[in-house]
Amino acid sequence: AKELQEKGHAYPCFCTSKRLEQMRQEQQRRKEAPCYDRLCLSLSEEDIEKKIAEGEKYVLRLRVPHEKLITFDDDIRGKVSFKGYTIDDQVLLKSDGFPTYHLANVVDDHLMDINIVIRGEEWLSSTPKHLLLFQYLGWKAPRYAHVPLLLNKDKSKLSKRQNDVSVQNYIDQEYL
């Protein structure tokens, strides 16, 4: 995270949860997708240092290049592209210093030498963020394959937390 910030690929955000909620409500009122408005991206180094010195809490956000088209080859879907301005500046480190899924996932995949990620299609929109992180950290990104979701009879997403989740339930149903 420190390396990303030093290279200008991440920036501190001091926005309060109250401000972020008001921003989201206003975006929803205008029928816009909720997305961080980048208010803190314009802070000067002096302002940032002052806020940190005063003990203001902040998160670290990924700086997504809005002018860039992020394209990748998905092993199932083929060529997929996202316009940079449609991708949110994702929080990478929470105010308590704990990494979010996006940063931890990329670091973990790199350290484990993962060469292909097969996951549900609901993660497709996260892929550009992950690819940017791999690029910014100078690491080789894995291949990606986004599979269609498995659905229940009622068309809701199949979940390991629904229906029988205990081995005993299957034993009681006489599964071997």
Side-chain angles (χ1 to χ4, degrees), residues 101-150:
Y101 165 79
H102 297 285
L103 179 60
N105 172 66
V106 167
V107 171
D108 193 44
D109 283 355
H110 170 71
L111 293 176
M112 292 194 311
D113 292 322
I114 299 299
N115 59 13
I116 185 167
V117 173
I118 303 170
R119 58 189 181 187
E121 63 189 2
E122 76 268 28
W123 290 102
L124 189 64
S125 63
S126 295
T127 307
K129 299 170 192 178
H130 299 168
L131 291 172
L132 284 171
L133 287 169
F134 276 107
Q135 176 189 336
Y136 292 163
L137 292 166
W139 300 337
K140 185 177 189 288
R143 292 173 22 225
Y144 286 91
H146 291 87
V147 298
L149 298 178
L150 297 175

